[in-house]
Amino acid sequence: MYDVIVVGARAAGAPAAMLFARSGYRVLLVERAAFPKDTLSTLYLHQPGVALLDRWGVLDEVVATGCPPIDRVRYTTGDVTLEGCSWPVQGHHRAYAPRRHLLDAVLADAAVRAGAEFRDNCRVTGLVFDGDRVSGVRLRSGGAGETVERATLVIGADGMRSTVAAAVRAPLVVEDSTLACVYYTYWESLTSTFELYDTPGHWVGLVPTNDETTLIAAYFPQQEFGRIRNDVRRSFLTGIEQTSPEVRARMADGRNVERMFGTGDQRNFFRQAAGPGWVLIGDAGHHKDSITARGITDAFTQAQLLADCVGADLRDPARLRAALDRFAERRTALLLPEYRNTLATAKLDPPEHRMEMLRAISTSQKLTDRFFSTWSGACPVDDFVTGELLDLVEARETMLRGAAQGL
């Protein structure tokens, strides 16, 4: 009998297993893949995620994988280029983008060191119920037969297509249409920082990662996915050329070192977060378009939030129910503003008033860094607009009206 069984050992599940094990609970962590193994990911760890890695004592191990520090962001849209960096979070100014087979292995190892039992290559085939309460999981590992393990709490951290969520029939409480599809690959001999480029209908991102390579991602409207996947490489390169000819020229001096990866299934939702004996974290409970690269950082945030809410209350049924209710409420309140911001970005159709705002922001390094801080999560989206920004926008509008009257 375990206190906690965590299903899924990646960016949400492994930290959750580590945190509960450090609290003295008996934890089983299961993962269907055989580690180490890559997964679809844009890799980027924003400053709040880096701060959590440091809090957990594993940042040095992540840095030791060889992923370069990222302390500048460049964003170009139309005639505007912003360059700066997010505010630091708990003293951490740099971001990182480790390959997932490296990051996830570091996190799983940390969970094991904390006392969690880890079984990879182990698939959950179903849940065990006592009445309406989840009380365990059914497992199948390799060629072995099915086994049953029981726990007070089952944590579903098993991704967007969560087996746990399906088994408990967790309803969607927020749902929006799929907006963008994405393909990416890795390039070497291409020097970059975290770079973002957009034009109507296109978005391109560059993320420096391990082995002196750069992840290059191209986003397209969801309705174009059928056309794009029929000729992925041509569509990928054409999209980059149309978005940033300068990036395409830099790529010509480098070399593509891996195959194309991509998806046309970037769902946007919040599921019910918890119920009797179960809770969902990471992509299992909340998924959004990867265009703002918030997935890993948000997964870390949810793992820490869940551990904080439960604390020492796991073995008291009434207090555990209250703790899970607190987690559900705080999760949605914390992540919903950025969810809405991400959806606006993923439409790939920036309105003109946004361009005017960005032109105003470009005149101030202070506002530029504040803008990038909303992307990282260091500045809440709802706190972004300031009197200074409104004054700059109004001044620009006044100047443009005056210029138009003089024509």
Side-chain angles (χ1 to χ4, degrees):
M1 176 76 178
Y2 295 90
D3 294 306
V4 177
I5 295 175
V6 183
V7 181
R10 293 194 182 272
M18 175 193 69
L19 292 167
F20 278 97
R22 287 179 178 176
S23 294
Y25 294 117
R26 187 170 183 231
V27 178
L28 172 63
L29 174 64
V30 299
E31 166 60 45
R32 66 181 302 165
F35 269 28
K37 184 176 176 63
D38 253 334
T39 188
L40 285 176
S41 177
T42 50
L43 307 183
Y44 197 74
L45 274 168
H46 291 280
Q47 284 78 2
V50 174
L52 282 171
L53 288 175
D54 189 30
R55 176 178 174 179
W56 299 336
V58 297
L59 177 59
D60 288 348
E61 292 176 68
V62 173
V63 173
T65 68
C67 57
I70 303 169
D71 58 9
R72 300 294 290 174
V73 184
R74 184 181 304 124
Y75 173 45
T76 297
T77 178
D79 60 352
V80 177
T81 294
L82 304 179
E83 187 161 357
C85 192
S86 167
W87 299 338
V89 176
Q90 296 176 18
H92 291 280
H93 193 266
R94 294 171 166 178
Y96 293 90
R99 290 292 296 262
R100 291 298 298 274
H101 66 277
L102 299 170
L103 173 65
D104 295 351
V106 167
L107 296 173
D109 287 347
V112 172
R113 289 197 305 271
E117 178 185 341
F118 179 41
R119 303 181 198 172
D120 63 344
N121 197 26
C122 183
R123 183 167 57 94
V124 172
T125 59
L127 301 184
V128 179
F129 290 84
D130 288 338
D132 66 348
R133 183 182 177 281
V134 174
S135 58
V137 297
R138 301 184 185 276
L139 303 173
R140 190 177 297 275
S141 182
E146 187 175 83
T147 60
V148 172
E149 301 290 358
R150 292 183 175 272
T152 302
L153 179 65
V154 173
I155 300 175
D158 50 340
M160 184 178 72
R161 301 174 186 85
S162 169
T163 298
V164 175
V168 299
R169 299 181 181 179
L172 296 172
V173 295
V174 176
E175 183 181 17
D176 290 275
S177 60
T178 302
L179 296 171
C181 58
V182 59
Y183 277 93
Y184 68 90
T185 187
Y186 295 89
W187 226 261
E188 69 176 10
S189 302
L190 191 158
T191 301
S192 73
T193 184
F194 184 33
E195 301 178 28
L196 304 161
Y197 303 83
D198 77 36
T199 59
H202 296 279
W203 179 282
V204 171
L206 278 65
V207 184
T209 184
N210 298 88
D211 302 319
E212 299 182 345
T213 62
T214 296
L215 181 152
I216 305 178
Y219 288 77
F220 307 87
Q222 178 64 28
Q223 60 267 27
E224 296 184 15
F225 181 62
R227 173 186 65 81
I228 290 164
R229 67 178 174 179
N230 287 330
D231 193 351
V232 171
R233 185 173 179 85
R234 182 186 296 273
S235 298
F236 176 80
L237 295 175
T238 300
I240 294 172
E241 177 72 34
Q242 293 174 345
T243 308
S244 175
E246 182 265 339
V247 169
R248 182 69 186 94
R250 288 159 61 193
M251 291 169 65
D253 294 329
R255 185 170 70 94
N256 187 196
V257 293
E258 293 197 31
R259 69 177 180 87
M260 302 294 304
F261 303 88
T263 179
D265 191 23
Q266 297 198 102
R267 303 178 199 174
N268 298 298
F269 64 77
F270 285 82
R271 287 189 175 113
Q272 179 179 321
W278 61 270
V279 64
L280 303 175
I281 61 173
D283 290 348
H286 161 56
H287 190 275
K288 58 181 172 289
D289 197 289
S290 65
I291 199 164
T292 51
R294 286 288 291 267
I296 302 174
T297 299
D298 286 352
F300 288 180
T301 299
Q302 291 175 67
Q304 185 65 60
L305 177 62
L306 177 61
D308 290 343
C309 286
V310 173
D313 294 340
L314 184 73
R315 298 186 178 109
D316 182 310
R319 295 177 70 177
L320 177 60
R321 284 195 300 271
L324 296 181
D325 288 345
R326 283 196 302 275
F327 168 76
E329 181 179 357
R330 293 177 185 176
R331 176 210 68 170
T332 303
L334 183 65
L335 300 180
L336 188 58
E338 174 53 31
Y339 173 79
R340 296 300 184 200
N341 187 56
T342 295
L343 296 190
T345 303
K347 290 178 181 177
L348 302 178
D349 186 21
E352 181 56 33
H353 69 79
R354 181 175 184 271
M355 290 301 302
E356 282 304 313
M357 180 190 71
L358 291 172
R359 291 185 184 104
I361 291 170
S362 70
T363 66
S364 166
Q365 188 63 54
K366 177 182 175 182
L367 288 175
T368 295
D369 290 346
R370 188 180 188 89
F371 174 75
F372 288 135
S373 298
T374 65
W375 279 4
S376 74
C379 174
V381 171
D382 293 342
D383 293 347
F384 172 64
V385 176
T386 64
E388 179 185 358
L389 176 57
L390 292 174
D391 289 345
L392 282 171
V393 172
E394 183 178 355
R396 279 193 57 84
E397 290 175 346
T398 300
M399 179 188 69
L400 290 172
R401 284 196 298 270
Q405 292 168 0
L407 292 177

